[in-house]
Every structure is written in C-alpha cells, then in structure tokens.
Amino acid sequence: MDISPSRKKALGWLLAAFTALLLSSEPVAQLCALPEELTLSQGATARFNLNWPITASIDPAQTVLSGLSETLDDVTSVSLTGEETGQATVTFRLMGVLPVKRVAVSVGEARTVMPGGQSVGIAMTTRGVVVVGLSDPGGTVASPARLAGVRPGDVVTDVDGEALVSAADLSERVSAGKPVTLTIQRGGRELRVPVTPVQDGSGKSRLGLWVRDSTAGIGTLTFFDPESGVYGALGHAITDADTGVILPIDSGSLIESRITEIERGEKGKPGELIGRFGAASPVLGTIDSNGSCGIYGRIDGKVVNALYPNGVPVMASGEVRPGKAQLLTTLDERGVRAYECEIVRLTDSASSERGFVVRVTDPELLARTGGIVQGMSGSPILQNGKLAGAVTHVFVSDPTQGYGIFIENMLDAAA
C-alpha cells in the first residue's frame, strides 16, 4: 500500500519526536553516562546502578573480570571486579539480549601508597617573574610596559635573551635606562616585547611593572610512594593570588610545619589553618612541579602515617561512589587524625581537581573548623579502606562541603 507524502512526513515527525523523548529519558541518560573506558586494579569493584533491566557480559570470556547483575526495586546493579591483569570488553545488554553499550576495561596490578594528612610548609621561587600589576612611574609618565602590551598574568622569563632569576634581577637589568626586549609566556605562547624604561620621580629607570618571584604557605600532604620517593600534595595548582595564573616553578622545598591557630569557616567566609615554619624547620623534600592536580616532588627518607603504617590500596576513579568516607588531616600536635565525611556526588566537570563533592559530617571537625578550610587542600579521602582522592576546594556558600580530586588523577600527574 502506498503512503502519501503527507503521511510519510507525519510519521517522520512522530518518529523523530519519539526518538528525542527516548534519548532524553533518565534510563538512556544513565547508559550514555557509562564510561567508554574503565581502569580497575586487582580486587577492585566498580558498580553501576541503572533503571533498566540490564545485564553485563564479558568478552573475551576469561578470568580478567568477573561480573554480577542484581535487580532490586526496579534498579539493576551491575558490579565488575578486577581479577587478573589484562584487557576485556564489557557489553551491557537490555533484557539480556539487545546490546546498548560497550566498555573497554583495563585491570592493572593493585598499587599501595602511604596516605598523607600531614601539614606541610611550601616555599617556592618562580621561573622568571609573574606580572601582577602595571603602574605609572610617576607624574604624567605612563607605564612603558603597559604601552608595549604587557598584561597582568604574563610571565617574564628573559631579558634580552638571558634568563631572569628574580624581581631584583629585573630592576638591575633595566637600571641603565636602555631599551630591552622581554620574553613573555602568555597562555602557552611565547612573545618578545621591546620596552624602553623611563625615569620615575627619583631618577630611577622603571618599566612600570609590579612583579612576584616567590610564594610561601601551608597545605596538606596527600600521598607518598615509598618505592619511588615521589609525593603529591594540595590536589590543585599554586596560583598567583592577584592574577590566577599558575606559578611556573624554578625551585621549591616541602617543609615540616605545625598548626598554630584555626580560623573557623562560616558561610561566605572561608576559614583557614594557620601554620608556622621557618629557616630552621626540617626540609622534607623538593618541589619539582606545580600543575592543575597539585604539587609534586621527592622526599628524602620515609613518611609514616601512624593510622595506616602499611599504606593503603589506591582506588580507581571508577570505584568511587557516593557514600561514607574518611578525611585525614592535621589540626594540632596530635598529628594526622581521621574524620568522618561523605562523598555526596560525582561531578561531570571537565576540571580534574573537581571530580566529586565531599561533605564533612564529623562533629569534632565541624566544631573546630566549620568544615573545609584553607590549608586542608590535599587532605586524603579514604573510602572502604582505599585512597579515593583528596580535598581541593571549599564551597564559600557552605564550608561543610567542597570539591575533591580523584587520586587516580593525582598519580597520573605524578608519573
């Protein structure tokens, strides 16, 4: 039977509307949210809760993975457990028949690291100098750097082709008043900018720049790998407070510190752990890199966590689930303590240091700090006896909550 063009058009619209409705439904959204690739360690289990009757079959049929599908109250829970190292493909099937999603799974050897939680001092110098502001040298003389196109957040690495080591070095290089060429790093690009200094009211030659060449503060150690001596801390980059640019590191030291005061956090006002370290404080190790997932380097000697003297297994990001967890941090001379918290939800953020939301539930920690405060960045988060990640940011509107980074991302950045 022939179908008229108008009916074909109407059927097409109906089919398109049905498809759009289907694709926007929660069950389909859950299936689309399943990862294309999944990494597990031996003995680790990843669980997926779906609102459709789904089964998981493992191909090839070998002992790399074991799988289990259970249905309770119209919710299907699919569990995948890493048994041996290797590769496998998992096919999710609707009603046990229709294939709807394939996931490539890699099972690696279980890794154990020493969890941190210790308060550490951070002292580092930058590679070159960071421009934090521009100013007119005085009177009617405009900033020559501004006129040349220099911007806050630029990193000046060289003057006339020679490496710049400090703010004092920059002042010395322009003191003669002669034209210079600045090599600038800006957003991944390298620029060469000619600038001619001008004299200020005192007769000194100036470029009209405010710059920063070092920083210091405290944070929290996240992990230490006894085999390699590598550590990770903070879970986020050290940035310039004025411009937000990630500070390029030239050299740095990780230093033993102690907490001397706690400023309790409140809604709209982040709190802070105030620590002390100085020239006489023991140096724990080097700071070799500063990136979006934290700071990294090597520690001479050993790091001991009395709560977990034998270390803890690393949890793959695919294993992390909303639920109870523990946060390790230092508030006083008692050293590292474990406090109750919960992972509220996993995020879909593209930012690696904001992989999940964590809420502090421990009465003691809430009473003393109000929740998450500055200086706690890097505090390890354990779930089911495994290292799942670390605290990175506090919610200014609710200091009991903040973001966390998956330990998997920190370890990848340390590699």
Side-chain angles (χ1 to χ4, degrees):
M1 180 179 66
D2 292 335
I3 301 176
S4 66
S6 59
R7 287 191 175 184
K8 286 182 179 179
K9 187 175 182 180
L11 288 172
W13 280 109
L14 285 173
L15 180 60
F18 175 76
T19 301
L21 182 63
L22 182 64
L23 291 176
S24 64
S25 67
E26 182 180 354
V28 171
Q30 289 178 332
L31 289 172
C32 292
L34 290 174
E36 299 291 335
E37 298 179 351
L38 177 65
T39 301
L40 290 174
S41 56
Q42 283 180 282
T45 299
R47 293 181 177 85
F48 305 95
N49 293 325
L50 304 164
N51 290 339
W52 279 4
I54 297 291
T55 61
S57 60
I58 302 168
D59 184 38
Q62 54 185 20
T63 56
V64 170
L65 281 176
S66 62
L68 176 65
S69 299
E70 298 178 306
T71 301
L72 180 65
D73 297 331
D74 297 326
V75 176
T76 299
S77 176
V78 177
S79 300
L80 301 174
T81 302
E83 302 291 349
E84 297 180 1
T85 59
Q87 312 287 324
T89 300
V90 177
T91 302
F92 289 85
R93 299 179 185 274
L94 178 62
M95 305 294 291
V97 178
L98 180 64
V100 290
K101 183 81 173 187
R102 286 184 172 85
V103 178
V105 181
S106 298
V107 180
E109 293 184 0
R111 183 175 182 180
T112 298
V113 298
M114 186 64 65
Q118 298 88 346
S119 176
V120 290
I122 297 161
M124 57 177 270
T125 58
T126 62
R127 186 178 66 253
V129 298
V130 179
V131 178
V132 298
L134 299 157
S135 63
D136 297 333
T140 59
V141 181
S143 165
R146 180 190 292 116
L147 296 176
V150 179
R151 307 174 188 171
D154 286 347
V155 179
V156 184
T157 59
D158 299 80
V159 176
D160 291 333
E162 294 186 8
L164 189 62
V165 297
S166 66
D169 186 26
L170 178 61
S171 295
E172 178 65 26
R173 302 279 193 93
V174 303
S175 61
K178 297 179 180 180
V180 295
T181 298
L182 306 180
T183 301
I184 289 175
Q185 300 293 330
R186 177 189 297 164
R189 294 182 299 152
E190 183 175 277
L191 307 174
R192 286 178 173 77
V193 181
V195 189
T196 300
V198 297
Q199 290 188 343
D200 62 11
S202 65
K204 292 183 178 180
S205 295
R206 305 288 189 186
L207 294 179
L209 289 175
W210 291 103
V211 298
R212 179 169 291 133
D213 60 10
S214 62
T215 189
I218 71 162
T220 302
L221 185 70
T222 304
F223 73 87
F224 171 68
D225 185 347
E227 290 188 6
S228 64
V230 171
Y231 76 85
L234 296 188
H236 63 72
I238 298 175
T239 60
D240 176 68
D242 297 298
T243 65
V245 66
I246 295 177
L247 296 177
I249 185 169
D250 179 57
S251 63
S253 298
L254 196 73
I255 304 169
E256 187 177 299
S257 73
R258 62 187 182 90
I259 302 300
T260 59
E261 187 180 345
I262 299 174
E263 291 187 359
R264 194 173 182 278
E266 300 175 359
K267 183 177 180 180
K269 182 183 177 182
E272 183 179 3
L273 298 180
I274 299 174
R276 177 177 296 176
F277 64 94
S281 301
V283 175
L284 301 175
T286 61
I287 301 175
D288 299 329
S289 65
N290 173 37
S292 61
C293 294
I295 60 170
Y296 301 89
R298 293 184 179 276
I299 290 178
D300 298 326
K302 294 183 178 180
V303 172
V304 178
N305 186 318
L307 302 177
Y308 298 93
N310 298 319
V312 294
V314 169
M315 178 177 277
S317 59
E319 301 175 62
V320 181
R321 285 291 175 267
K324 292 183 178 180
Q326 284 187 319
L327 184 153
L328 308 185
T329 200
T330 298
L331 301 182
D332 50 36
E333 67 280 354
R334 294 182 301 171
V336 180
R337 306 279 290 184
Y339 299 95
E340 296 302 312
C341 66
E342 66 172 332
I343 295 174
V344 178
R345 61 181 175 86
L346 309 183
T347 74
D348 55 1
S349 172
S351 174
S352 58
E353 71 269 26
R354 300 186 179 190
F356 57 88
V357 174
V358 61
R359 175 190 292 124
V360 174
T361 58
D362 192 281
E364 180 186 351
L365 189 56
L366 289 171
R368 298 189 66 182
T369 67
I372 298 169
V373 297
Q374 296 177 44
M376 283 172 58
S377 294
S379 296
I381 295 174
L382 275 65
Q383 189 174 58
N384 300 325
K386 297 181 180 181
L387 182 56
V391 172
T392 59
H393 300 81
V394 61
F395 290 177
V396 176
S397 60
D398 181 4
T400 67
Q401 296 191 81
Y403 285 114
I405 182 174
F406 294 118
I407 192 62
E408 192 175 74
N409 291 343
M410 290 191 70
L411 290 170
D412 286 346

